[in-house]
Amino acid sequence: MSLNPLRNIPSVSELLENPKLKGLVDRISHNAVVDTVRTVLDEMRGEVQNAVGEKTLPNVAELAERIARRVMETESLGLRPVINATGILLHTGLGRAPLAEESIAEMNAVARDYASLEIDLAGGKRSRRSLAVEPLLKELTGCEAALVVNNNAGATMLVLAALGWGKEVIVSRGQLIEIGGSFRLPDVMALSGAILREVGTTNKTHLADYASAIGEQTAALMLVHPSNYLVQGFAESVELPALVELGKKHRLPVIHDIGSGALIDFAQFGLPGEPMAKQSLADGADVVLFSGDKLIGGPQCGIILGRKAAIEKIQKHPFARALRVDKLTLAALAATLRLYRDEEKAKLDVPLLRLLGTSPENLKNRAERLAPQIAAVKKAVAAAEAVQDITYLGGGSIPTQQLCTWCIAVTPAGMTVDRLAAVLRAGTPAVVGRIRQDRLLLDLRSVFPRQDVDLVAAVEALGAE
Ligand SMILES: *Cc1c(COP(=O)(O)O)cnc(C)c1O
């Protein structure tokens, strides 16, 4: 009969004396390390008690190593910067659009101090927080009034609740979208309290379908831009001007969810068909909704533009308070919008537009320059070459909207491609690429030139291990 093996498990204080864990206490926090030590020791006791035969215990050094790894894993769960080498420019998992320097500077300025968020400094009276961006949105789109909320899903919910609660909102069956995550228009509508009145069929909806659904119960007509899919072939949908005319005849507002919210024409980047906020308003939509962090390239938010009376009604709904944005979002959005006063300046200074506008020759040159540097990391890389490929905008864009790009295709040495991808993801800076067959593609379409050095360094760090 051996001694009780639980007695051989080291104590918390013994483990904390280990140099590795001592270092982590200094670098991270005493509590974080002690918590992890306790958790791991509890697990160890459980394992010993449940063991069928004799259980060999790790020695103190091995145990400390295990605990240190766990502490580091927990630390890395926080938000960290990432080099986006996926090629997807508006990757929702990677935070969509990176912000312009002008936006960062403006956020910094109002973050450190108090800000005139709801005070009119000239008159000393209380004001609305959306006034920080409303004049700019008027100037850029021709809207009468504007409101900014947490995101476009929130904007949709709020607008439907404010304008359609307990009544019917008419939508084409071809536009009952799911955006991803848990955003499904019929569900959002149900939660808002508006009653969905579906008209037409999946592939065809005519103006007469809307017209015959209008009745006493109708509160609004809604048009949704199907940003992430395409109904092709025997298909027909009603255009905004025709729906506006019908709405006018029946004194019903028309709500237009344009999704990505272009402020300039994206056909110049090879992405035709993106509805522009200005055009939608010019065509007569009463309320227009879109995201701030898609094609505008600003912070996450939902922008609601429209007629003064409609916006006032929306503003007064209690959801508006629940979905409101903070001073940082407004500061970042205002600075991004200001760049659009000059389209050429926007194309240079809005990071999303700069990445979109990078020429294939530029990407090719960089890929050809970086590939040999990456191939030189012999310990981790068997081969690396520049390859041409196609990529997508992301964030709810349609599969036909392709962008040409250049990548560095990396064949790993001594490990699987999944392992290579995982190690790069866990590195500092983290690098996320995309796997194609047995190679990891590092796509330069979504990498800033200033990150090229870091990209190579991240691969070199693998060789040093
Ligand atoms: C992306 C999108 C949404 C959701 O916007 P979020 O800002 O992600 O909440 C809603 N409607 C359409 C048409 C979209 O493209």
Side-chain angles (χ1 to χ4, degrees):
M1 192 64 210
S2 63
L3 284 170
N4 179 0
L6 288 177
R7 289 172 141 214
N8 294 331
I9 293 181
S11 69
V12 174
S13 51
E14 204 177 329
L15 278 163
L16 288 179
E17 283 306 306
N18 177 280
K20 191 144 205 164
L21 297 186
K22 249 187 173 160
L24 285 180
V25 166
D26 292 341
R27 265 203 1 246
I28 297 171
S29 105
H30 180 79
N31 288 352
V33 177
V34 172
D35 279 353
T36 311
V37 170
R38 293 221 168 95
T39 309
V40 172
L41 288 183
D42 280 346
E43 288 170 7
M44 185 93 1
R45 282 187 204 101
E47 281 172 33
V48 169
Q49 278 162 342
N50 296 331
V52 182
E54 190 86 357
K55 165 121 183 116
T56 41
L57 288 173
N59 61 35
V60 176
E62 285 165 347
L63 207 51
E65 183 64 42
R66 190 188 293 188
I67 293 162
R69 221 179 306 128
R70 189 78 69 86
V71 171
M72 291 314 290
E73 275 168 18
T74 312
E75 275 296 294
S76 71
L77 294 179
L79 210 47
R80 291 200 298 140
V82 168
I83 295 182
N84 175 9
T86 64
I88 307 291
L89 292 170
L90 293 175
H91 197 299
T92 302
L94 297 178
R96 291 196 188 154
L99 293 177
E101 290 301 331
E102 287 83 349
S103 286
I104 297 162
E106 198 134 329
M107 283 169 90
N108 242 315
V110 298
R112 199 172 287 116
D113 291 315
Y114 293 95
S116 59
L117 188 57
E118 286 187 1
I119 285 188
D120 160 26
L121 292 179
K125 292 220 180 64
R126 202 182 159 93
S127 73
R128 291 191 292 122
R129 59 181 65 202
S130 289
L131 286 183
V133 292
E134 191 177 61
L136 277 161
L137 286 165
K138 281 184 186 172
E139 180 187 324
L140 294 170
T141 69
C143 68
E144 285 179 15
L147 177 64
V148 180
V149 294
N150 182 61
N151 58 6
N152 195 19
T156 308
M157 175 94 161
L158 170 62
V159 168
L160 289 170
L163 304 184
W165 192 88
K167 297 187 100 187
E168 289 181 358
V169 175
I170 305 177
V171 188
S172 159
R173 286 202 170 84
Q175 297 174 357
L176 294 176
I177 56 167
E178 170 174 323
I179 293 292
S182 53
F183 185 93
R184 286 178 147 192
L185 191 61
D187 299 343
V188 173
M189 208 174 264
L191 275 173
S192 76
I195 299 157
L196 170 64
R197 180 71 192 265
E198 301 176 27
V199 295
T201 60
T202 308
N203 57 332
K204 281 206 175 199
T205 302
H206 308 277
L207 191 62
D209 295 324
Y210 289 93
S212 61
I214 293 175
E216 296 256 294
Q217 277 304 302
T218 313
L221 309 176
M222 186 173 188
L223 205 64
V224 184
H225 177 61
S227 13
N228 56 1
Y229 71 99
L230 208 62
V231 182
Q232 258 176 343
F234 190 62
E236 196 171 318
S237 59
V238 174
E239 299 292 327
L240 180 62
L243 202 62
V244 165
E245 205 174 303
L246 182 67
K248 279 215 179 97
K249 212 162 99 192
H250 296 270
R251 298 176 154 272
L252 290 170
V254 174
I255 303 164
H256 193 193
D257 176 2
I258 61 171
S260 299
L263 290 178
I264 60 174
D265 189 355
F266 276 74
Q268 63 187 300
F269 301 115
L271 301 171
E274 279 300 340
M276 286 170 66
K278 192 176 179 163
Q279 189 60 47
S280 173
L281 290 161
D283 285 345
D286 296 276
V287 179
V288 179
L289 323 171
F290 50 97
S291 303
D293 53 349
K294 287 184 181 170
L295 293 182
I296 291 181
Q300 179 194 300
C301 60
I303 300 173
I304 308 171
L305 308 179
R307 300 204 191 283
K308 200 156 188 287
I311 298 294
E312 271 171 8
K313 192 166 177 191
I314 295 164
Q315 171 90 51
K316 284 197 191 113
H317 192 278
F319 276 167
R321 168 64 186 264
L323 293 166
R324 76 183 183 189
V325 288
D326 71 335
K327 61 177 180 175
L328 297 182
T329 301
L330 287 169
L333 180 62
T336 302
L337 291 174
R338 242 174 255 128
L339 297 172
Y340 281 94
R341 284 176 157 161
D342 176 353
E343 184 168 331
E344 293 312 310
K345 186 157 175 57
K347 284 194 269 185
L348 282 178
D349 289 355
V350 176
L352 174 76
L353 302 187
R354 200 164 59 225
L355 290 173
L356 263 175
T358 309
S359 69
E361 297 73 49
N362 175 307
L363 299 179
K364 178 173 190 265
N365 288 341
R366 283 163 58 203
E368 284 173 349
R369 183 160 40 80
L370 299 181
Q373 296 175 39
I374 286 175
V377 187
K378 297 270 185 269
K379 247 173 111 179
V381 176
E385 59 165 334
V387 297
Q388 194 172 13
D389 203 6
I390 52 161
T391 185
Y392 305 93
L393 192 57
S397 56
I398 50 176
T400 49
Q401 291 185 329
Q402 300 184 341
L403 298 164
C404 78
T405 189
W406 280 81
C407 308
I408 303 143
V410 185
T411 309
M415 63 177 117
T416 64
V417 69
D418 289 318
R419 172 84 190 140
L420 174 67
V423 180
L424 282 175
R425 274 199 312 272
T428 305
V431 173
V432 184
R434 67 170 187 271
I435 293 171
R436 171 80 57 81
Q437 281 137 14
D438 292 326
R439 300 200 289 185
L440 181 67
L441 299 191
L442 301 174
D443 190 326
L444 296 182
R445 174 58 73 188
S446 51
V447 176
F448 295 104
R450 63 173 159 82
Q451 295 175 316
D452 286 358
V453 175
D454 297 329
L455 189 63
V456 174
V459 181
E460 281 170 350
L462 304 181
E465 269 175 5

